[in-house]
Amino acid sequence: MTRTLILTRHAKSSWDEPTLSDHDRPLNKRGRCSAPAVSGWLLRNGWLPNEVLSSTALRTRETWDRMGLQADLIQFERSLYLAGPDLMMRALSQASGQTVLMLGHNPGIAEFARQLVRQAPDHGRFDDYPTCATTVIQFEINSWAALRWHSGDVLGFVIPRELPE
C-alpha cells in the first residue's frame, strides 16, 4: 500500500500592514492567484487530498481556501506555525488519510521536504521552496506512523510561476 503527501508552502503573503502580527498576515494579489494555479495542477494530475494538516496562520488558511479543494478531514494546528521538520513529522505520523496535504512555512517546510525524499527533484527551486511551491511525494507504507526519513519518491514538484494562471 502507498500513502501520498502533498507538501505546500503557503502562497505569497502581504507585508502591507506593519501593525499585523506575522501570524495574521493575509495573502497578497500574487498569492491569491498562485493558490488556485497550484490546485489546478494537482487536479490535472489526480492528486487530491482527503486530509489536510495546516498551520493556523492566516496565510496558510487563505491558501487552503483559495485552492478550492475538498477534504474529509481538515485540521488547523497552531503547532505547525513555523514548525521545523521534527514537529511536522510528528504531526504527519498521526494522520489517517491516504493522501494528506500539509500547508506550512519556510524554512521548516523546505527542510522537511529535503529530509523526506530519497532523491530531490531536478529543479533549481526545490531547496529554497518559494511561496506556494508544492511537492507530491509517495511512500510505500501502510500508515503514516510507519513514515521514515529519506523514504519518499517525488511524483511532482512545481512552483506557481511555471503554471498558467
Side-chain angles (χ1 to χ4, degrees), residues 5-10 53 60 80 82-85 88 101-116 126-135 137:
L5 175 64
I6 302 166
L7 195 58
T8 302
R9 181 178 173 198
H10 65 80
L53 297 173
T60 53
L80 291 175
L82 303 178
M88 294 176 82
L101 172 74
M102 249 184 139
L103 275 160
H105 309 266
N106 253 358
I109 201 160
E111 294 170 17
F112 190 49
R114 281 192 301 272
Q115 291 182 34
L116 284 175
F126 182 74
D127 283 336
D128 68 324
Y129 228 85
T131 51
C132 224
T134 299
T135 308
I137 310 166

Side-chain angles (χ1 to χ4, degrees), residues 7-11 13 15 20-25 53-61 76-91 102-112 129 131:
L7 195 58
T8 302
R9 181 178 173 198
H10 65 80
S13 59
W15 292 91
L20 286 178
S21 72
D22 180 70
H23 189 270
D24 295 330
R25 287 189 298 112
L53 297 173
S54 176
S55 157
T56 55
L58 179 58
R59 59 192 179 273
T60 53
R61 288 176 174 272
F76 294 97
E77 297 182 16
R78 179 71 183 203
S79 64
L80 291 175
Y81 172 62
L82 303 178
D86 290 335
L87 201 138
M88 294 176 82
M89 178 70 110
R90 280 196 297 278
M102 249 184 139
L103 275 160
H105 309 266
N106 253 358
I109 201 160
E111 294 170 17
F112 190 49
Y129 228 85
T131 51

Side-chain angles (χ1 to χ4, degrees), residues 1-5 89 92 111-120 136-155:
M1 173 153 312
T2 63
R3 302 278 169 166
T4 303
L5 175 64
M89 178 70 110
L92 184 56
E111 294 170 17
F112 190 49
R114 281 192 301 272
Q115 291 182 34
L116 284 175
V117 300
R118 290 182 225 263
Q119 183 173 344
V136 180
I137 310 166
Q138 189 171 65
F139 302 91
E140 296 292 328
I141 53 175
N142 292 324
S143 74
W144 290 109
L147 184 61
R148 299 293 175 259
W149 297 117
H150 305 290
S151 63
D153 296 312
V154 176
L155 300 179

